[in-house]
Amino acid sequence: MIPPSTRRSIMNTSAGIYSALKSTALFSGKGLYILSTGGLMVLVPYMMAMVEEQQIEDMEREQKAREMGSEIISPGVQAAGGQQQGARASL
């Protein structure tokens, strides 16, 4: 049988450890919440801007590829007028 003074000491020590762990867990949880929400508020708009910029770059690359493809199919044809460069009217 454990004497009452030893039981009281064990109970007080375990209660102190429990209280310290509970406080640490609550503090850590609140800190993680603040960091994660702050990170989301900064990173989500940044990532959306990066995706938009990537889409614009892809569209520009696609447009250049189309221009190069049309130049290969019909070399010398101007995109605006459709006239060949070598077929100018002579006076």
Side-chain angles (χ1 to χ4, degrees), residues 15-79:
I17 290 172
Y18 174 78
S19 176
L21 289 175
K22 182 179 176 183
S23 297
T24 302
L26 288 174
F27 182 75
S28 298
K30 289 177 183 179
L32 285 173
Y33 174 78
I34 290 169
L35 289 175
S36 63
T37 54
L40 286 173
M41 290 176 70
V42 171
L43 290 177
V44 168
Y46 176 74
M47 293 303 293
M48 290 176 66
M50 292 293 294
V51 166
E52 185 178 340
E53 182 67 26
Q54 184 64 41
Q55 289 175 343
I56 291 170
E57 288 176 4
D58 289 342
M59 287 175 20
E60 288 173 353
R61 223 178 284 124
E62 183 179 331
Q63 182 65 30
K64 286 181 184 177
R66 286 183 183 171
E67 288 174 2
M68 299 227 8
S70 67
E71 189 66 29
I72 291 172
I73 293 173
S74 54
V77 175
Q78 295 178 351

